[in-house]
mmCIF file of all heavy atoms in Angstrom:
data_model
loop_
_atom_site.group_PDB
_atom_site.id
_atom_site.type_symbol
_atom_site.label_atom_id
_atom_site.label_comp_id
_atom_site.label_asym_id
_atom_site.label_seq_id
_atom_site.Cartn_x
_atom_site.Cartn_y
_atom_site.Cartn_z
ATOM 1 N N GLN G 1236 -14.913 3.190 -0.797
ATOM 2 C CA GLN G 1236 -14.838 2.791 -2.203
ATOM 3 C C GLN G 1236 -16.136 2.130 -2.619
ATOM 4 O O GLN G 1236 -16.703 1.316 -1.888
ATOM 5 C CB GLN G 1236 -13.700 1.794 -2.422
ATOM 6 C CG GLN G 1236 -12.321 2.378 -2.270
ATOM 7 C CD GLN G 1236 -11.238 1.359 -2.562
ATOM 8 O OE1 GLN G 1236 -10.357 1.132 -1.759
ATOM 9 N NE2 GLN G 1236 -11.302 0.750 -3.740
ATOM 10 N N THR G 1237 -16.606 2.469 -3.806
ATOM 11 C CA THR G 1237 -17.757 1.787 -4.392
ATOM 12 C C THR G 1237 -17.501 1.502 -5.864
ATOM 13 O O THR G 1237 -16.850 2.291 -6.556
ATOM 14 C CB THR G 1237 -19.033 2.649 -4.277
ATOM 15 O OG1 THR G 1237 -18.759 3.952 -4.830
ATOM 16 C CG2 THR G 1237 -19.485 2.784 -2.845
ATOM 17 N N PRO G 1238 -17.935 0.341 -6.394
ATOM 18 C CA PRO G 1238 -18.558 -0.747 -5.645
ATOM 19 C C PRO G 1238 -17.518 -1.607 -4.926
ATOM 20 O O PRO G 1238 -16.329 -1.392 -5.098
ATOM 21 C CB PRO G 1238 -19.246 -1.551 -6.743
ATOM 22 C CG PRO G 1238 -18.337 -1.407 -7.920
ATOM 23 C CD PRO G 1238 -17.804 0.014 -7.832
ATOM 24 N N LYS G 1239 -17.945 -2.590 -4.168
ATOM 25 C CA LYS G 1239 -17.025 -3.524 -3.506
ATOM 26 C C LYS G 1239 -16.655 -4.682 -4.418
ATOM 27 O O LYS G 1239 -15.561 -5.234 -4.320
ATOM 28 C CB LYS G 1239 -17.656 -4.061 -2.219
ATOM 29 C CG LYS G 1239 -17.853 -3.000 -1.157
ATOM 30 C CD LYS G 1239 -18.286 -3.604 0.167
ATOM 31 C CE LYS G 1239 -18.559 -2.540 1.198
ATOM 32 N NZ LYS G 1239 -17.405 -1.656 1.430
ATOM 33 N N PHE G 1240 -17.570 -5.078 -5.282
ATOM 34 C CA PHE G 1240 -17.332 -6.176 -6.221
ATOM 35 C C PHE G 1240 -17.936 -5.806 -7.573
ATOM 36 O O PHE G 1240 -18.949 -5.129 -7.641
ATOM 37 C CB PHE G 1240 -17.987 -7.482 -5.743
ATOM 38 C CG PHE G 1240 -17.558 -7.938 -4.391
ATOM 39 C CD1 PHE G 1240 -18.300 -7.606 -3.267
ATOM 40 C CD2 PHE G 1240 -16.418 -8.697 -4.238
ATOM 41 C CE1 PHE G 1240 -17.902 -8.030 -2.008
ATOM 42 C CE2 PHE G 1240 -16.013 -9.121 -2.983
ATOM 43 C CZ PHE G 1240 -16.754 -8.780 -1.876
ATOM 44 N N ARG G 1241 -17.289 -6.281 -8.637
ATOM 45 C CA ARG G 1241 -17.832 -6.054 -9.959
ATOM 46 C C ARG G 1241 -17.267 -7.087 -10.905
ATOM 47 O O ARG G 1241 -16.080 -7.437 -10.827
ATOM 48 C CB ARG G 1241 -17.482 -4.650 -10.468
ATOM 49 C CG ARG G 1241 -18.142 -4.255 -11.770
ATOM 50 C CD ARG G 1241 -19.623 -3.988 -11.603
ATOM 51 N NE ARG G 1241 -20.256 -3.726 -12.885
ATOM 52 C CZ ARG G 1241 -20.402 -2.509 -13.414
ATOM 53 N NH1 ARG G 1241 -19.967 -1.447 -12.760
ATOM 54 N NH2 ARG G 1241 -20.962 -2.368 -14.584
ATOM 55 N N VAL G 1242 -18.139 -7.576 -11.799
ATOM 56 C CA VAL G 1242 -17.703 -8.487 -12.857
ATOM 57 C C VAL G 1242 -18.004 -7.809 -14.186
ATOM 58 O O VAL G 1242 -19.137 -7.361 -14.420
ATOM 59 C CB VAL G 1242 -18.425 -9.846 -12.774
ATOM 60 C CG1 VAL G 1242 -17.969 -10.744 -13.929
ATOM 61 C CG2 VAL G 1242 -18.152 -10.525 -11.433
ATOM 62 N N LEU G 1243 -17.003 -7.727 -15.043
ATOM 63 C CA LEU G 1243 -17.151 -7.097 -16.351
ATOM 64 C C LEU G 1243 -16.822 -8.092 -17.452
ATOM 65 O O LEU G 1243 -16.059 -9.032 -17.232
ATOM 66 C CB LEU G 1243 -16.197 -5.911 -16.499
ATOM 67 C CG LEU G 1243 -16.433 -4.629 -15.701
ATOM 68 C CD1 LEU G 1243 -15.330 -3.634 -16.007
ATOM 69 C CD2 LEU G 1243 -17.795 -4.041 -16.002
ATOM 70 N N LYS G 1244 -17.356 -7.839 -18.620
ATOM 71 C CA LYS G 1244 -16.935 -8.577 -19.801
ATOM 72 C C LYS G 1244 -15.863 -7.763 -20.510
ATOM 73 O O LYS G 1244 -15.843 -6.527 -20.420
ATOM 74 C CB LYS G 1244 -18.126 -8.811 -20.726
ATOM 75 C CG LYS G 1244 -19.177 -9.749 -20.145
ATOM 76 C CD LYS G 1244 -20.320 -9.966 -21.135
ATOM 77 C CE LYS G 1244 -21.356 -10.911 -20.547
ATOM 78 N NZ LYS G 1244 -22.504 -11.117 -21.475
ATOM 79 N N THR G 1245 -14.978 -8.442 -21.202
ATOM 80 C CA THR G 1245 -13.917 -7.759 -21.950
ATOM 81 C C THR G 1245 -14.530 -6.694 -22.852
ATOM 82 O O THR G 1245 -15.501 -6.960 -23.572
ATOM 83 C CB THR G 1245 -13.128 -8.771 -22.788
ATOM 84 O OG1 THR G 1245 -12.485 -9.695 -21.899
ATOM 85 C CG2 THR G 1245 -12.068 -8.080 -23.614
ATOM 86 N N GLY G 1246 -13.953 -5.494 -22.792
ATOM 87 C CA GLY G 1246 -14.420 -4.404 -23.634
ATOM 88 C C GLY G 1246 -15.405 -3.467 -22.962
ATOM 89 O O GLY G 1246 -15.635 -2.354 -23.447
ATOM 90 N N GLN G 1247 -15.996 -3.906 -21.851
ATOM 91 C CA GLN G 1247 -16.925 -3.034 -21.145
ATOM 92 C C GLN G 1247 -16.168 -1.947 -20.396
ATOM 93 O O GLN G 1247 -14.966 -2.062 -20.141
ATOM 94 C CB GLN G 1247 -17.776 -3.843 -20.157
ATOM 95 C CG GLN G 1247 -18.845 -4.685 -20.821
ATOM 96 C CD GLN G 1247 -19.748 -5.377 -19.816
ATOM 97 O OE1 GLN G 1247 -19.287 -5.900 -18.788
ATOM 98 N NE2 GLN G 1247 -21.047 -5.396 -20.098
ATOM 99 N N SER G 1248 -16.888 -0.893 -20.037
ATOM 100 C CA SER G 1248 -16.276 0.206 -19.297
ATOM 101 C C SER G 1248 -16.924 0.321 -17.924
ATOM 102 O O SER G 1248 -18.048 -0.164 -17.714
ATOM 103 C CB SER G 1248 -16.433 1.514 -20.050
ATOM 104 O OG SER G 1248 -17.801 1.837 -20.171
#
Side-chain angles (χ1 to χ4, degrees):
Chain G
Q1236 291 183 234
T1237 53
K1239 294 188 183 303
F1240 303 95
R1241 187 72 185 268
V1242 178
L1243 290 179
K1244 293 181 180 178
T1245 297
Q1247 286 185 318
S1248 63

